[in-house]
Amino acid sequence: MSDSDRPARVLVLVSGSGTLLQAVLEACDDPGYGVEVVAVGADRDQIQGLERARVRGIPTFVERLADHPDRDAWDAAMVAHLDEHRPDLVLSAGFMKILGPAVLAGHRVVNTHPALLPAFPGARAVRDALAHGVRVTGCTLHEVDDGVDTGPIVDQRAVTVRRDDTEDSLHERIKAAEREMLVAALPGVARVHPLDDA
């Protein structure tokens, strides 16, 4: 298999249950999908997202912010992990830490977000959408830059807000749309192989 035909190497970062990761792993069961998850990293121990990777024999790592004197040191440790696995793309899938300039300087990163950016950036997107009374929200796949949910938009899916929605009920429907969007968009986003030119 030539480099141009090989699956794109994707490293996934998670902070919790890993349902987005699971959707990608199931898509990767199809040899024609064109993506290989080469490692899964987290910012905390003993989460379901790491276990989802381990049962499939995928390498994992944990890098806790609290174990470092500052964010720059944590960022450098993250870079070391990413460089070890040489991904074509880093996917932030429910990863609840902001990646620093050292990571972004050396790696392409995309992130999923539970709102239609640029509306409702940040960690309370679903709650904020409900508080503002919007009738439609959704999810976004975007490139990560040095802002908070400000990078170029790759793809979006709309989700209708129901009159009886709670934050939990709305978030569950957004997550379903998010999984579908990510699985559909990821092969195209990851198809560029910067390592092939190295």
Side-chain angles (χ1 to χ4, degrees), residues 11 13 15 18 30-31 40 47-48 60 66-67 77 83-84 99 102 109 125 142 165 194 198:
L11 187 150
L13 299 176
S15 289
D30 177 356
V40 173
I47 57 172
Q48 190 177 358
T60 63
D67 292 338
D83 288 350
E84 176 187 354
L99 297 168
V109 184
H142 67 97
D165 261 329

Side-chain angles (χ1 to χ4, degrees), residues 74-121:
W74 178 77
D75 202 36
M78 291 294 290
V79 169
H81 288 296
L82 301 187
D83 288 350
E84 176 187 354
H85 294 288
R86 294 174 55 84
D88 297 306
L89 184 74
V90 177
L91 168 62
S92 173
F95 188 63
M96 301 306 291
K97 292 286 185 292
I98 296 173
L99 297 168
V103 168
L104 299 180
H107 296 275
R108 296 171 57 227
V109 184
V110 294
N111 178 58
T112 61
H113 182 75
L116 294 174
L117 294 173
F120 311 122

Side-chain angles (χ1 to χ4, degrees), residues 114-115 126 137-139 159 170-179:
V126 179
T137 184
C139 53
V159 174
L170 178 57
H171 202 177
E172 284 306 310
R173 292 204 316 286
I174 291 173
K175 284 194 239 183
E178 208 170 11
R179 291 189 289 269

